[in-house]
Amino acid sequence: MIQLSYKINCEVDDMKKFVVSVVSIGTLITVIVIGFFGSKIYNENNPGELGAIVDQLNPFISENEVYVKTKSYDDINKDDMYSYTQTAADEDGKTRKIMFTSSKELKKGHYLKLSNKGTHVNSYEEVQKEQVPEKALKAIDNK
């Protein structure tokens, strides 16, 4: 009788530990997912270094391309990198702010295609005006 009672108590304790573990893991996953979606929404129009790092790691953000028309640089940091914060447009003409750096000063009024993942810019290349999608061109020429 005592052995049976002990065995039942052990099984109940093991079940409680299992349920607590599953709930804890589920809560952790939920917090992480909500954090990534929240950062995606926040970073859309709030570019910055921290946001770029989070976007780079965020599995819910896909890579895409946006276009900018270059302007004067905003700042030069201590490593002689030129910092630009500009309005960028995707091929559908949807605009948002994006921040990127360059090791040299960019010529004003030129068009760039930026490969990005959220606010994280992977690379950029200069393109001709004719290579910029019509809706994107309309959006960035008015800024």
Side-chain angles (χ1 to χ4, degrees):
M1 187 82 147
I2 295 176
Q3 271 187 327
L4 181 63
S5 173
Y6 175 74
K7 190 174 183 181
I8 292 173
N9 284 340
C10 285
E11 288 175 3
V12 170
D13 287 343
D14 289 343
M15 187 58 111
K16 285 180 183 178
K17 288 177 185 176
F18 176 75
V19 169
V20 168
S21 296
V22 168
V23 170
S24 297
I25 291 170
T27 302
L28 180 63
I29 290 171
T30 302
V31 167
I32 290 170
V33 168
I34 289 171
F36 277 137
F37 277 115
S39 72
K40 179 180 178 183
I41 293 167
Y42 175 78
N43 289 335
E44 283 183 2
N45 285 310
N46 297 296
E49 289 184 37
L50 180 60
I53 292 169
V54 173
D55 284 353
Q56 184 180 15
L57 301 172
N58 191 338
F60 300 109
I61 296 178
S62 60
E63 291 187 28
N64 66 1
E65 296 171 342
V66 293
Y67 298 86
V68 297
K69 185 176 182 180
T70 57
K71 63 172 188 67
S72 298
Y73 62 87
D74 297 314
D75 192 23
I76 301 175
N77 69 18
K78 65 181 180 203
D79 298 321
D80 293 328
M81 295 291 286
Y82 293 83
S83 176
Y84 297 85
T85 302
Q86 294 192 237
T87 299
D90 64 13
E91 63 183 11
D92 297 323
K94 183 180 175 192
T95 62
R96 63 184 177 87
K97 293 283 186 196
I98 197 158
M99 188 179 95
F100 61 98
T101 57
S102 174
S103 59
K104 62 181 181 178
E105 184 176 0
L106 300 173
K107 296 176 185 172
K108 296 175 198 152
H110 289 239
Y111 296 92
L112 299 178
K113 177 170 75 170
L114 286 73
S115 171
N116 67 306
K117 186 172 182 219
T119 58
H120 174 75
V121 176
N122 297 319
S123 63
Y124 64 85
E125 66 176 302
E126 187 172 345
V127 294
Q128 298 300 312
K129 185 176 183 174
E130 297 78 30
Q131 294 174 290
V132 180
E134 187 178 327
K135 290 178 181 178
L137 185 63
K138 193 175 188 180
I140 61 177
D141 270 347
N142 293 332
K143 298 292 174 188

